[in-house]
Amino acid sequence: MGYDISNYEAVYPPYGTVEDVEKLIKACHENNMKLILDLVVNHTSNQHAWFKESRSSKDNPKRDWYFWRPARYDEGGNRMPPTNWRSYFAGSTWTWDDLTQEYYLHLYDESQPDLNWENKECRSAIYDSAMRFWLDKGIDGFRVDTVNKYSKYVDFLDAPVTDPGSAVQPAAQFWCNGPRIHEFIREMKSQVLSKYRTFDGLPVVTIGELSMTPDPEGVLKYVSAKNKELDMIFQFDITHLGQGPPGSDSKYDFTAWDLPQMKQIVAKWQSFIDGTDGWSTVFCENHDNGRSISRFGSDAPEWREKSAKMLAVCFAAQTGTLFLYQGQEIGMINAPREWGIEKYHDVESQKYWKEAVRLADNGSDPTRKERVMRGLQLMARDHARLPFPWDDSFNGGFSEGQPWMRVHESYREINAKLQEKEADSVLSFWKLLLQLRKEHKDVFVYGTFELLDTANLSTFVYKKHYRGKTALVAVNFTAEHQPAPETDGSRLLLSSYLESTQDKLQPFEGRIYISY
């Protein structure tokens, strides 16, 4: 899916060429738009020239650009990996290499060996090949993949046994937010990023993917302006709602959640930058999770558009830089529940399923298959990676050939061309909402957050304050009518319904009131 990079200075041929990217950069800038790229430098592909050299012999100059370690052996003389760490995608983080008779480390798939950031020459090569190559072409910044995993504890100790029935154990404490992580990011900033400007003279931007960091103080270290590291980060409490811990065997064991849990997550990350020199992001979808409508609203035909607009209101009024994931603006939903596991192509989905089959079939966890399948139906990464439906033609207009996954059956009802024509479509509503967010950016983008009626299981109500201006946001997360909030004389700025009643929130309705 693009995260096993074999050449940082080329483009995967089915997607185009470097020249195509250069044209895209130029066209974006001509239209006063900026373009950022995904920076994937925790690991490369095992097909990258660096790794091929590294695995060619133990004395190769690039051997230390990756993590190689000898085997351990149990009392019976059986070969064992260097540690008991569990991979993000189930199984061990170590893969045996017959040629040099050692294991290499990969936090993710075995096709994605981890780069050794402890090696200065390796870091320099990353800066030149993965960063300067594209910055010199005029890109405006990076979304920085797995940004807090570059520094590992290199004594490689075993993780505590928390799953007695498994040979591998969750071990994020050994490779997430490691001892040199802030040093590495500051170096990246000072040696590379600080030397570049966007086409209109501003600093290039960085947005870090910061998983497994639930502590606001820990997050602030990455985005505090005085630390000179990242501009902002993606923190994933909201998209992990209902999941087990990332990288654990229970990630796809769905746990029912209630609305107060979501409110507390939003309140926590809306307020963590108050009084600081940090900045935040706002989002509820990305490429690693199921679609928000299917998870947080209802994807039933009668409620899909209502849910899409309700969620848009809920999140677009929040403080920070707003990110929309492709397809969110037209209300895309999860793959049909009727799809069998063979339709799920993502490596994580497939490996969690294989693990579930093994544990169910050997009797150690008889219900594992049913639980994991339910979790994948809601939360698998495949849902966000379905081809985008541009129109109602073959493959939704995405491709004349065979895309990596089949197009959602709903493409005739959910596509961009259809929604561009409809004044009341999800796409049209997003355009209106973003216009209002810009017009009232003082209170929406920069305002302070106040949560109201925390324990209410049906409605999410909050206020935003900026100097003498207040926005009241009220959102109904149910398919039933709910009491409307007290508005204190505020005027209705927006409703997700064409007609709004004063005393009741309609099913999956979102409203915004403004007062000065």
Side-chain angles (χ1 to χ4, degrees):
M1 291 290 186
Y3 285 85
D4 52 332
I5 294 177
S6 59
N7 186 347
Y8 286 112
E9 300 172 25
V11 174
Y12 183 48
Y15 295 164
T17 64
V18 171
E19 289 72 27
D20 290 329
V21 181
E22 292 172 341
K23 292 176 183 177
L24 179 60
I25 295 168
K26 184 174 184 290
C28 285
H29 292 174
E30 287 174 348
N31 286 276
N32 199 33
M33 297 168 64
K34 294 177 182 176
L35 178 70
I36 66 175
L37 297 184
D38 211 342
L39 179 65
V40 184
V41 289
N42 174 72
H43 50 265
T44 67
S45 168
N46 60 1
Q47 299 305 307
H48 196 290
W50 297 347
F51 187 73
K52 288 182 177 180
E53 285 190 52
S54 182
R55 80 187 307 178
S56 65
S57 68
K58 290 183 178 180
D59 57 0
N60 185 277
K62 289 187 174 62
R63 183 66 171 184
D64 192 45
W65 285 30
Y66 297 83
F67 294 100
W68 294 93
R69 293 296 183 274
R72 298 187 296 178
Y73 293 88
D74 63 16
E75 294 177 354
N78 299 302
R79 189 181 71 221
M80 296 171 56
T83 70
N84 65 350
W85 297 358
R86 178 187 172 92
S87 162
Y88 257 89
F89 300 152
S92 175
T93 58
W94 300 94
T95 289
W96 178 252
D97 179 60
D98 277 329
L99 179 63
T100 57
Q101 296 288 293
E102 285 191 330
Y103 285 90
Y104 65 86
L105 178 73
H106 52 88
L107 299 185
Y108 296 90
D109 188 64
E110 59 267 22
S111 66
Q112 299 168 300
D114 278 51
L115 287 160
N116 181 9
W117 277 68
E118 300 287 327
N119 185 300
K120 187 174 181 179
E121 290 183 359
C122 178
R123 298 200 305 273
S124 296
I126 290 169
Y127 299 157
D128 282 341
S129 186
M131 299 180 70
R132 292 189 182 100
F133 178 85
W134 294 104
L135 289 164
D136 287 340
K137 294 184 181 301
I139 67 162
D140 302 291
F142 293 103
R143 176 261 185 195
V144 190
D145 188 62
T146 60
V147 74
N148 56 339
K149 300 187 177 69
Y150 307 155
S151 174
K152 280 84 168 171
Y153 284 88
V154 293
D155 45 0
F156 292 111
L157 301 177
D158 270 349
V161 176
T162 56
D163 181 6
S166 176
V168 291
Q169 305 296 321
Q173 66 269 36
F174 295 111
W175 42 256
C176 198
N177 301 311
R180 298 185 67 188
I181 190 62
H182 295 288
E183 173 193 344
F184 292 155
I185 298 174
R186 282 194 296 269
E187 180 182 89
M188 180 194 296
K189 176 81 168 184
S190 64
Q191 292 192 14
V192 184
L193 295 162
S194 65
K195 311 298 184 185
Y196 290 87
R197 291 291 183 270
T198 62
F199 73 94
D200 56 356
L202 296 174
V204 294
V205 70
T206 51
I207 309 101
E209 181 193 28
L210 199 75
S211 64
M212 297 185 184
T213 311
D215 178 12
E217 291 184 2
V219 173
L220 192 60
K221 291 177 182 178
Y222 289 90
V223 296
S224 170
K226 68 176 179 292
N227 287 358
K228 297 182 179 180
E229 295 186 24
L230 302 169
D231 295 302
M232 52 190 133
I233 58 93
F234 293 128
Q235 203 286 339
F236 297 106
D237 282 358
I238 194 69
T239 54
H240 289 168
L241 194 59
Q243 287 184 356
S248 73
D249 62 340
S250 61
K251 176 177 179 179
Y252 287 109
D253 271 349
F254 174 70
T255 302
W257 57 274
D258 57 30
L259 193 56
Q261 289 177 268
M262 176 185 279
K263 296 178 191 180
Q264 294 291 355
I265 290 172
V266 170
K268 175 181 179 180
W269 296 109
Q270 279 289 282
S271 60
F272 95 100
I273 59 170
D274 289 352
T276 76
D277 63 349
W279 191 235
S280 188
T281 59
V282 182
F283 68 102
C284 66
E285 284 196 16
N286 68 8
H287 64 297
D288 280 335
N289 293 277
R291 292 288 182 176
S292 58
I293 294 171
S294 301
R295 295 180 64 193
F296 306 140
S298 171
D299 55 16
E302 65 269 31
W303 300 125
R304 178 187 62 81
E305 290 192 0
K306 303 297 186 189
S307 293
K309 295 176 183 179
M310 174 272 291
L311 289 167
V313 171
C314 185
F315 286 91
Q318 293 177 22
T319 293
T321 299
L322 178 64
F323 286 80
L324 297 186
Y325 180 68
Q326 58 93 1
Q328 187 179 352
E329 76 279 23
I330 62 171
M332 287 183 70
I333 57 178
N334 279 357
R337 289 177 175 82
E338 295 76 29
W339 283 16
I341 189 63
E342 71 280 357
K343 299 295 193 299
Y344 290 73
H345 296 321
D346 178 56
V347 60
E348 184 177 54
S349 300
Q350 287 294 329
K351 288 200 170 184
Y352 267 85
W353 177 250
K354 288 177 182 176
E355 181 183 50
V357 170
R358 176 175 59 82
L359 294 175
D361 290 352
N362 70 17
S364 60
D365 192 350
T367 64
R368 184 68 160 257
K369 284 195 289 189
E370 290 75 14
R371 300 196 325 267
V372 167
M373 193 66 218
R374 169 62 175 152
L376 292 174
Q377 288 172 338
L378 274 175
M379 303 178 292
R381 307 195 305 176
D382 300 77
H383 300 299
R385 303 179 183 197
L386 296 179
F388 182 89
W390 292 100
D391 54 39
D392 62 0
S393 64
F394 177 72
N395 279 339
F398 184 86
S399 171
E400 294 179 357
Q402 181 65 39
W404 63 89
M405 290 186 70
R406 65 187 291 184
V407 176
H408 199 295
E409 279 87 340
S410 66
Y411 73 90
R412 292 183 178 84
E413 295 80 42
I414 305 175
N415 66 71
K417 185 176 181 179
L418 179 65
Q419 294 196 26
E420 284 181 332
K421 300 175 182 178
E422 296 179 349
D424 190 36
S425 68
V426 175
L427 179 61
S428 296
F429 185 76
W430 264 113
K431 291 179 179 179
L432 171 62
L433 189 56
L434 293 176
Q435 180 181 344
L436 292 174
R437 181 174 168 88
K438 291 179 179 180
E439 290 177 6
H440 299 276
K441 65 180 181 181
D442 50 359
V443 70
F444 292 143
V445 179
Y446 301 108
T448 57
F449 180 90
E450 178 189 1
L451 180 62
L452 305 177
D453 199 8
T454 305
N456 193 305
L457 294 169
S458 302
T459 60
F460 190 162
V461 182
Y462 63 87
K463 286 184 177 181
K464 297 289 298 299
H465 304 281
Y466 187 85
R467 297 178 180 172
K469 188 174 182 179
T470 297
L472 173 66
V473 181
V475 180
N476 179 5
F477 271 77
T478 76
E480 309 293 333
H481 285 79
Q482 301 293 339
E486 294 290 334
T487 61
D488 300 323
S490 301
R491 72 176 178 89
L492 181 65
L493 179 69
L494 173 79
S495 168
S496 58
Y497 274 66
L498 290 176
E499 295 184 2
S500 189
T501 59
Q502 187 169 357
D503 61 336
K504 295 285 186 182
L505 287 172
Q506 297 174 87
F508 297 109
E509 181 182 7
R511 294 184 195 171
I512 303 176
Y513 299 85
I514 287 284
S515 64
Y516 297 88

